[in-house]
Amino acid sequence: MLSLPKNFESYDEKRRNAFLALYDVKKKGKKVVGTFCSYTPTELIHAAGAIPVGLCGNSEQGILEAETRLPKTLCPLIKSSYGLAMTDQCPFFYFSDGVLAETTCDGKKKMYELLGEIKPVHVMKLPQGKDQALAVESWTEEVRLAAGFLEDLLNVEITEEKLHDAIVYRNRVRRALIELYEVAKAKPSPVSGYELTTVSESADFHFTDDSLIEKLAEKTREFRHRVRETTPDRPRVLLTGCPNTGLREKLIHRMEDMGADYVCSDHCAGPRTLRFVVDEDKDPYEALAERYLKINCSVMTPNGGRFDDLKHLVSEYKVDGVVEAVLQGCHTFAVEAWNTKKTVYEELGLPYLRIDTDFSQSDRGQIETRLGAFIEMM
Ligand code: BJ8
């Protein structure tokens, strides 16, 4: 039976409100499916009549609890996601009917085994590289299997027509999000990157409805016409590396307070991935497989496309320097950082700063000192 968690009353207001919002959605009979990664074909979830919700943890909460089962040295994103889920603190996981996940990094895919003890979890087997023999064929098969999982889980049929409609809808959301991000191409940007990404990230990772595209377009218009008190000579920063939603305060907010403009991120949910749309005119399963395999993430090998994307974004967004955030325990991004640095320094001739961090506040002072020196250098 549908109910709120036992500890509901002890949660802070923001968390209680998030629980109540989803509780309402569920009471109306809507189904919810959790996701963790940009490789998840969310079109399948829409076509199954359910709402996709992002489950990636992005704060210190839940980490201590997670460390009773997971290694302390594991990436904070994985620990926080699992810790919030196991303690019923994540409303999105709590109300999810199931989870659609992928074999991306080792830590995540092993965590999914433990998560599967709490909820139904389907793990899609992602190819390790897009040039791997039969990569598109095997991923197409995985997309079909995922559809089968959702049909069984939610007791629905995913027809080609519903899937086609979902593809068209998600392509429209992608285009609307790109237009929103592109507001920051203006020099100076009329809006702070912190504010702009607050809008875009909540749109892409929280439950959506039909008015989403219009809301995004409205925000884009509002931001474009905003007159911001700023100076054209503020250095423009691109943020690369691991997903950075858990670093918004200590990295993004501080950077902007200290005099730089955060104009672009090349993380997997940003413009570099959104520009890939799904072909609306071919077999939907194959079209989804092809689109999602284009994503350039460090879990792929080789992953040279990420650096082409980076160079492209640096030029489009007129970037003056690149900051790379590497989360503790993230080997794939940590190893790739060597090539990011080479690309930024040697090919683009721009300053580069690597910050290794986690979701704690203990390194705030150190980060500020390094950011200050970096901003002065640009
Ligand atoms: S498409 S970036 S969401 S895998 S969890 S790899 S930080 S050790 S999140 Fe990711 Fe998909 Fe790629 Fe995007 Fe490292 Fe942590 Fe793993 Fe992480």
Side-chain angles (χ1 to χ4, degrees), residues 36-39 75 77-78 104-105 108 242-243 268 297 299 327 329-330 332-333:
F36 279 99
C37 177
S38 294
Y39 282 106
C75 158
L77 188 153
I78 304 173
T104 51
C105 62
K108 257 186 176 175
C242 295
C268 60
C297 170
V299 297
L327 290 176
C330 180
T332 56
F333 276 104

Side-chain angles (χ1 to χ4, degrees), residues 1 31 60 103 107 128 172 225 239 310 313 324 347:
M1 212 190 62
K31 303 285 183 191
E60 278 188 286
T103 50
Q128 301 227 313
R172 289 179 61 215
H225 294 110
L239 191 53
L310 178 68
L313 289 173
E324 176 145 38
E347 291 190 45

